[in-house]
Each structure stands twice: as C-alpha cells, then as structure tokens.
Amino acid sequence: SKCLKLYCECFAAGVLCDRCNCVECENDGEHEGKRVPAVAAIKARTPADLKWERNRVAFAPKILDQLQNEGKGHHAWGCKCKKSHCLKKYCECFQAAIQCGDKCKCDECHNDGLHQGQRE
C-alpha cells in the first residue's frame, strides 16, 4: 500500500511514518504529491462507502481531551495490550502518559491508577 491506505497506522492517524519499518513508504513527507490526493480521496468517501468503523475516524487523533503534561485524556479506541501490562511504550495509553480506560481491552493492566509505583 506504500503507506497511503488506512492499513498504515501512521497514515490513518494523520501523521507521517517515522521509524515504523515501512517498505517503499510514500507517507514520509517526500511524496506529498501522492499523499495529499490519497488523504483527500479517503475524506471524500460517503458514509455508505465506509464499511469499517475505523474508516469513519480516519485521520482523527487517537488520544482525546489530553491536557499537556497532566496525563488527563483517553484513548479513542482503547489499547489492546496482552503481555506488557500496559507499562511499556508498546501501549499507546502509556506512551501518551494517560491511564487505560473503559474502551481498552488490555490483559492484566497495571496502567489503571491502582499500580502507580510500577508506572515509572
């Protein structure tokens, strides 16, 4: 897809790819002539064209209502961590310095406010 479709998490979040092991990436800032029309085409789709929920929120931020450096906010879709206990940068909530919330589907979460000593 050359990172110009919603399969690419970076593209879907509206950011350029950076250190994400892409192959033949065109979502890198050097191919704006191809990237801009791809974004416009996705935004122009009608709701009937959008078969998956993720398409409806394409290019929307993943972390909502976050106040700078205060750790308040929530993940739009929730994380799905399995083995990290949400204590590593694999967890999008942990990386954004927010606690996991109701939408998260993580296993054995330690980023829930009850395990503050382990968050560091």
Side-chain angles (χ1 to χ4, degrees):
S1 71
K2 298 185 181 184
C3 296
L4 294 180
K5 299 201 182 225
L6 296 178
Y7 300 116
C8 174
E9 281 193 36
C10 300
F11 182 76
V15 298
L16 298 176
C17 292
D18 182 37
R19 298 181 302 233
C20 53
N21 300 325
C22 306
V23 177
E24 297 181 30
C25 180
E26 292 184 357
N27 184 34
D28 57 4
E30 295 177 16
H31 298 89
E32 288 298 301
K34 293 180 181 180
R35 183 183 181 280
V36 171
V39 170
I42 291 169
K43 286 184 175 181
R45 292 180 185 168
T46 64
D49 295 334
L50 304 177
K51 296 177 184 174
W52 299 285
E53 180 66 26
R54 183 168 177 111
N55 286 4
R56 291 190 182 108
V57 294
F59 310 113
K62 289 182 180 181
I63 308 299
L64 306 174
D65 301 327
Q66 185 172 11
L67 301 174
Q68 197 69 1
N69 296 326
E70 291 187 25
K72 295 179 183 176
H74 64 279
H75 196 290
W77 306 294
C79 69
K80 299 173 185 83
C81 301
K82 300 293 179 199
K83 297 180 181 178
S84 70
H85 303 289
C86 301
L87 292 175
K88 300 191 182 214
K89 296 242 179 179
Y90 300 115
C91 177
E92 292 175 353
C93 297
F94 181 85
Q95 190 171 16
I98 60 172
Q99 292 179 358
C100 292
D102 296 339
K103 293 184 179 182
C104 294
K105 296 173 183 80
C106 40
D107 292 340
E108 299 180 35
C109 179
H110 289 184
N111 184 24
D112 56 4
L114 302 174
H115 301 86
Q116 286 297 324
Q118 296 177 0
R119 184 160 167 76
E120 295 152 8

